Amino acid sequence: MLKFFNRLSKKKEEFIPYNKDIVTMYSCGPTVYSYQHIGNLRAYVFMDLIRRILKHHNYKINGAMNITDVGHLTSDEDEGEDKMLLASKKEHKSPYEIAKFYANLFFEDIKKLNIELPEHVLKATDHIQDMIDYVKKLLEHGYAYETSRGIYFDVQKFKDYGRLSGIELKDRKAGARIEVDNEKKHPADFALWIKAPKEHIMQWESPWGMGYPGWHIECSVMGQKYLGEHIDIHTGGIDHVTVHHENEIAQNDSLCGHQVVKFWMELEFLQIDGGKMSKSLGNIYTLSDLEKRGFSAMDYRYFLLTAHYLKMQNFTFEALEGAKSALANLYKLAKKHKMAEKKDENLSNYIKRFYDAFDDDLNSPLALGVVWELIKKEPNYAIYECLLEFDNLLGLNIEEKSNEDVVQIPHEVLRLAQDRWNAKQNKNYALADELRKQITSLGYVVKDSKNDFIIEKI
Ligand code: AMP
Ligand code: ZN
């Protein structure tokens, strides 16, 4: 029986979709003003695991994900500047160029991590008119009002506001995080449409003058346009629970007159070295940062699978190193089974426990434990076949990797090569030369291209 933790009911529930043949699923996607870091990528591996277990249960999926390229302000509570515009000023490029650049990098990472994209990947700027129409309807039905700054959702008109996070309206006061705006009827009222000053680069005509959409509206609009008024699963990060998802629920359910999303599923954050990732600490890593240090996207995917999505996961390079060597070992053992005779052996107990673990709210660490028990058995081709089946859920390229003769570059060499590259970027050529010598003495050579380097065995 497939079960997911539903944050709305705070319980693990049997997953029964609205329509038994096709599951509708919406995932909050990236804001493409910068690189997606490895924490963000945890959110999409999580989305991918849900899709894989649904497919294992023979469901068809109609999925949608937004690409936020307008309207996400520096604070989720509608304060500050649009993140796209800030990036545009910093990088001297148009917001559209910024969005295209970072969205493409995001798609590359997604591919490397074996994440299947949803059926609809949707840019907010392609749906401005749909958003205007939606806001008009909210106004007509009395759920929104106009101020000199824009159109706001009237949270007091939605009786269930706060059900997901458990934070009631009376406890949402204006303060440090919510700026006092005297025109707002309640501090938690949020912008659906923002009137733009003349110099604002991204703005569109609307019945309320030139402006741009608030951030929360795009997910309701695109969700309903592509998936309908009944959405089985909605995913996103834990940071979305208190504001963004509450606001989506308010928009959806008040306009449709019924509960739109059945399962709200938000994953816990990835931490770095036991703390928050932040620019000032210099500890925000991207997938390509990991690759430069000699880790593959699959090493990172394996690392993610070792923790349950509802648990905060702590990233350290030591832990990633552990994941890397475990995965290399897994490939090696898989190959041993591949080369073996097929023996008649009852593996049903392993198979059952593996799928039961995934069925039980995506318990990937438990499932990996079963893989290890199985893989350590006497070589048997039947085990290899079983591993390939499991890999439909794990997504670790077991088939491809068990065909390869893996040349492992020692970690010390990878580190030296990265240090040498950094030295060269900093024009410290003496140090770069010294490091090159050390690399050569270990039997490897580094070759530079314009933006990167490769390491070869001499
Ligand atoms: P953003 O590009 O900021 O809109 O975030 C994209 C997705 O990544 C959202 O679903 C966030 O909730 C999620 N997210 C952001 N930071 C982390 C983190 N450290 N760990 C896991 N998910 C995250
Ligand atoms: Zn969203």
Side-chain angles (χ1 to χ4, degrees):
M1 188 209 293
L2 180 57
K3 283 194 237 161
F4 293 136
F5 177 76
N6 188 350
R7 195 171 296 273
L8 208 55
S9 63
K10 317 274 178 286
K11 282 199 212 84
K12 232 189 254 179
E13 291 176 21
E14 182 181 357
F15 178 70
I16 303 170
Y18 283 116
N19 173 338
K20 67 180 176 22
D21 299 316
I22 183 153
V23 174
T24 45
M25 175 165 163
Y26 189 90
S27 300
C28 284
T31 308
V32 283
Y33 69 107
S34 180
Y35 298 96
Q36 287 283 293
H37 54 61
I38 54 174
N40 299 132
L41 294 174
R42 187 182 192 206
Y44 308 111
V45 169
F46 163 60
M47 169 189 87
D48 185 60
L49 291 182
I50 300 177
R51 290 178 60 90
R52 284 171 186 262
I53 191 69
L54 290 172
K55 286 194 173 172
H56 173 73
H57 283 269
N58 294 321
Y59 285 118
K60 288 204 182 69
I61 305 172
N62 186 20
M65 179 169 80
N66 57 309
I67 300 282
T68 302
D69 55 357
V70 67
H72 193 174
L73 306 190
T74 41
S75 130
D76 288 355
E77 285 114 346
D78 306 324
E79 301 303 337
E81 275 196 80
D82 189 317
K83 293 185 181 192
M84 294 304 302
L85 295 192
L86 280 179
S88 157
K89 277 184 211 160
K90 200 169 111 201
E91 298 193 27
H92 306 290
K93 288 187 194 152
S94 79
Y96 295 97
E97 286 170 315
I98 299 274
K100 197 169 166 197
F101 179 78
Y102 290 113
N104 283 340
L105 288 180
F106 168 67
F107 294 135
E108 279 174 23
D109 286 354
I110 288 289
K111 205 165 157 213
K112 284 184 192 159
L113 283 164
N114 275 347
I115 296 168
E116 186 182 68
L117 279 175
E119 288 61 30
H120 309 279
V121 177
L122 310 157
K123 280 198 293 185
T125 50
D126 288 339
H127 295 83
I128 300 290
Q129 190 54 49
D130 296 310
M131 293 194 235
I132 291 174
D133 293 343
Y134 199 106
V135 176
K136 266 201 232 164
K137 280 192 217 148
L138 285 172
L139 276 167
E140 277 161 26
H141 288 78
Y143 288 109
Y145 59 92
E146 185 169 359
T147 74
S148 58
R149 292 175 73 176
I151 310 295
Y152 283 83
F153 189 93
D154 189 346
V155 290
Q156 292 169 101
K157 292 273 170 68
F158 181 61
K159 66 172 177 25
D160 270 351
Y161 196 89
R163 194 176 141 202
L164 185 70
S165 60
I167 305 174
E168 291 178 36
L169 274 184
K170 65 176 171 45
D171 298 321
R172 291 180 189 252
K173 296 268 178 277
R177 296 198 65 206
I178 310 177
E179 197 183 280
V180 186
D181 174 349
N182 292 335
E183 284 184 80
K184 286 210 297 195
K185 296 184 182 170
H186 189 281
D189 288 352
F190 57 92
L192 298 164
W193 185 262
I194 302 164
K195 296 179 183 175
K198 266 210 180 65
E199 66 281 6
H200 204 270
I201 317 173
M202 296 178 110
Q203 49 178 299
W204 291 264
E205 248 171 64
S206 80
W208 319 287
M210 297 301 286
Y212 57 99
W215 172 43
H216 316 290
I217 191 77
E218 67 182 65
C219 292
S220 290
V221 167
M222 300 198 272
Q224 279 162 46
K225 179 164 179 173
Y226 295 89
L227 309 180
E229 286 192 11
H230 292 91
I231 300 176
D232 295 304
I233 301 172
H234 193 308
T235 71
I238 191 91
D239 55 328
H240 289 345
V241 174
T242 51
V243 179
H244 182 54
H245 287 175
E246 290 286 17
N247 293 353
E248 274 190 56
I249 294 173
Q251 291 163 160
N252 291 342
D253 296 8
S254 49
L255 197 68
C256 297
H258 60 81
Q259 182 179 334
V260 172
V261 174
K262 217 173 184 189
F263 280 77
W264 282 93
M265 295 178 70
E266 290 94 354
L267 84 152
E268 272 289 349
F269 261 23
L270 182 84
Q271 286 196 325
I272 308 261
D273 296 326
K276 232 187 130 180
M277 278 185 251
S278 85
K279 283 216 173 82
S280 56
L281 292 171
N283 64 0
I284 298 184
Y285 300 108
T286 62
L287 190 60
S288 52
D289 291 331
L290 304 191
E291 287 172 328
K292 284 208 171 129
R293 289 174 184 236
F295 299 99
S296 69
M298 284 304 98
D299 296 336
Y300 185 56
R301 185 169 171 115
Y302 183 94
F303 165 79
L304 290 177
L305 292 176
T306 61
H308 190 265
Y309 78 91
L310 283 179
K311 293 241 165 72
M312 196 139 34
Q313 187 173 17
N314 189 30
F315 177 89
T316 62
F317 278 102
E318 287 69 37
L320 186 60
E321 204 141 335
K324 182 185 174 68
S325 70
L327 183 60
N329 210 7
L330 195 153
Y331 290 149
K332 207 167 82 193
L333 291 170
K335 194 165 181 173
K336 224 157 92 182
H337 291 292
K338 186 183 176 179
M339 309 310 255
E341 296 267 296
K342 184 166 177 173
K343 283 184 276 182
D344 201 13
E345 193 178 354
N346 186 357
L347 302 174
S348 58
N349 174 290
Y350 297 91
I351 297 172
K352 180 174 182 320
R353 283 192 291 129
F354 178 85
Y355 291 114
D356 280 355
F358 262 98
D359 275 357
D360 186 14
D361 196 27
L362 304 167
N363 195 337
S364 56
L366 191 62
L368 276 182
V370 178
V371 170
W372 280 105
E373 276 182 49
L374 180 65
I375 209 163
K376 284 181 181 160
K377 286 168 72 73
E378 286 292 297
N380 179 354
Y381 189 79
I383 292 181
Y384 177 67
E385 287 179 329
C386 194
L387 288 172
L388 294 191
E389 285 294 319
F390 288 178
D391 206 32
N392 288 330
L393 291 188
L394 301 169
L396 291 170
N397 289 349
I398 292 177
E399 183 167 22
E400 194 187 315
K401 289 293 178 180
S402 59
N403 283 330
E404 268 180 22
D405 275 324
V406 194
V407 181
Q408 290 267 7
I409 297 178
H411 212 72
E412 191 188 350
V413 174
L414 291 166
R415 275 222 182 107
L416 288 168
Q418 182 63 49
D419 289 348
R420 181 195 154 269
W421 175 259
N422 294 344
K424 208 180 140 195
Q425 300 306 301
N426 296 330
K427 301 201 173 11
N428 188 346
Y429 298 113
L431 178 61
D433 284 347
E434 172 51 33
L435 292 168
R436 176 186 281 284
K437 275 191 208 139
Q438 289 183 32
I439 294 164
T440 314
S441 71
L442 291 168
Y444 292 84
V445 61
V446 263
K447 294 181 181 165
D448 291 341
S449 62
K450 195 169 157 238
N451 297 317
D452 218 340
F453 59 87
I454 54 164
I455 309 168
E456 287 174 3
K457 207 159 176 23
I458 297 175

